[in-house]
Amino acid sequence: MRTDYQNLLVKQDGGVVTLTMNRPEVLNAFNDTMLEALTGAVEEAARDESVRCVVITGAGRAFGSGQDLKSLSAARETHAVARVSEHLQKYHRLVLAIRNMPKPVIAAVRGVAAGISCNIALACDLRVATEDARFIEAFARIALVPDGGGGYFLPRLIGVGKAMEMSMLADEVSGPEAERIGLVNKCVPAAEFEATVNALAQRLANGPTRAYALIKELIYTSAESDLQTSLQLEGELQDNAFETEDHRNAVQAFLEKRKPEYKGR
Ligand code: T3D
């Protein structure tokens, strides 16, 4: 993995790559440099077979504070961007790269995750948060609609009613509340955060990577499918999983009463 990005730290430990958004002085608000770096690194991690799990997190006291409002306002003043939807396409590329990644992606959220940073966390497959995390769909505060996939992910994760509440009121949702409503998978005290994220990431990196990719496809297409279509896809994906080395070895390990070792193949 390339490590010389601006505004992004890249660290690989075995099969786990951790991508740390690194503009702590503005709570990791997205400028174009950081957005392009994160997108490039996510796309590279998808291609790199030595990577079997990706963690996205933020440097300092926050996950991220959304779009950098200083650069947004400068772009408006100079007419650098004709329509904001053009600029949003850059975020859409990142969201799709995360969702289409053929391996698990974890958002590790410490402190605030506001605006589009919150929605980048929602695009990930699993979320771990600290007790002092603050999830804010901040868009309505500045009279915008949730973007970066927020309007898609929120109702699917927490239901229409809660999605509407978070989007319209734009109030903070704490880490424990986020866990209670299903916005995050796990909320832990700050002192346990790193160990929890590392253990989860290493566990996934040592798991059946190809089966995880097929699970992502099955679960993520289910919301748009009827039962018949989902059962058809399930069969196709299972044909695929059935042929993997990890599947054959895991069954053999079960029969021999030993722990399986997954190679990701
Ligand atoms: O371009 C497009 O495609 C449009 C897309 C838009 C997508 C979006 O994300 S819209 C939403 C943008 N984000 C926000 O509206 C959130 C703005 N920030 C805040 O409301 C607060 O900072 C927080 C609730 C996130 C955190 O509050 P707090 O009290 O913990 O920290 P703070 O003191 O407000 O912030 C610390 C510093 O970060 C501060 O700088 P300073 O005063 O120390 O020099 C603050 O200005 C800076 N900062 C925080 N958020 C942003 C930011 N600077 C630029 N852009 C930010 N988004």
Side-chain angles (χ1 to χ4, degrees):
M1 287 284 301
R2 211 187 121 186
T3 55
D4 58 343
Y5 290 102
Q6 257 190 61
N7 300 146
L8 184 78
L9 307 173
V10 179
K11 190 173 144 241
Q12 184 159 2
D13 177 11
V16 177
V17 155
T18 301
L19 306 176
T20 305
M21 296 177 279
N22 191 26
R23 301 187 73 218
E25 66 286 359
V26 286
L27 308 182
N28 306 315
F30 275 104
N31 60 6
D32 279 0
T33 307
M34 193 176 89
L35 175 57
E36 278 156 26
L38 183 58
T39 307
V42 167
E43 289 176 347
E44 190 187 345
R47 292 189 299 269
D48 186 332
E49 290 203 352
S50 73
V51 177
R52 292 172 64 191
C53 178
V54 176
V55 177
I56 299 179
T57 193
R61 71 173 171 96
F63 180 80
S65 59
Q67 167 65 35
D68 187 312
L69 294 177
K70 285 179 203 129
S71 40
L72 181 67
S73 128
R76 167 168 279 171
E77 292 301 311
T78 57
H79 305 283
V81 179
R83 291 171 79 88
V84 75
S85 56
E86 277 173 31
H87 189 241
L88 276 178
Q89 284 175 15
K90 295 186 183 181
Y91 284 109
H92 296 170
R93 181 170 157 192
L94 171 60
V95 167
L96 291 171
I98 293 170
R99 292 290 274 213
N100 295 333
M101 166 93 62
K103 40 200 124 182
V105 186
I106 301 170
V109 180
R110 187 196 338 249
V112 77
I116 205 153
S117 304
C118 181
N119 293 337
I120 296 303
L122 301 190
C124 297
D125 304 313
L126 295 170
R127 279 157 292 285
V128 180
T130 50
E131 283 175 348
D132 64 358
R134 302 147 68 196
F135 293 87
I136 317 172
E137 287 293 329
F139 305 89
R141 292 185 183 182
I142 53 169
L144 292 180
V145 304
D147 57 24
Y152 179 93
F153 300 128
L154 277 169
R156 283 167 172 78
L157 283 167
I158 59 174
V160 171
K162 277 284 171 196
M164 202 63 89
E165 182 184 322
M166 277 191 78
S167 302
M168 282 188 170
L169 302 183
D171 286 337
E172 294 185 11
V173 172
S174 69
E177 174 68 356
E179 184 185 54
R180 194 187 68 76
I181 64 177
L183 194 67
V184 304
N185 301 86
K186 208 171 177 52
C187 171
V188 294
E192 294 168 24
F193 180 63
E194 261 181 49
T196 305
V197 172
N198 287 343
L200 178 63
Q202 289 296 346
R203 176 177 168 183
L204 289 167
N206 290 312
T209 313
R210 284 192 54 200
Y212 290 153
L214 299 169
I215 289 169
K216 282 180 75 159
E217 192 177 340
L218 184 63
I219 301 291
Y220 288 143
T221 51
S222 75
E224 284 72 46
S225 304
D226 56 28
L227 178 59
Q228 181 74 32
T229 311
S230 187
L231 292 174
Q232 167 75 26
L233 177 66
E234 169 198 286
E236 290 164 18
L237 297 174
Q238 200 68 303
D239 278 345
N240 216 319
F242 208 72
E243 294 306 318
T244 61
E245 195 180 315
D246 280 341
H247 168 65
R248 274 196 303 275
N249 288 344
V251 172
Q252 196 58 35
F254 173 80
L255 296 176
E256 292 169 10
K257 297 194 184 302
R258 58 179 170 79
K259 257 186 108 179
E261 195 190 325
Y262 301 106
K263 305 277 189 206
R265 299 191 286 264

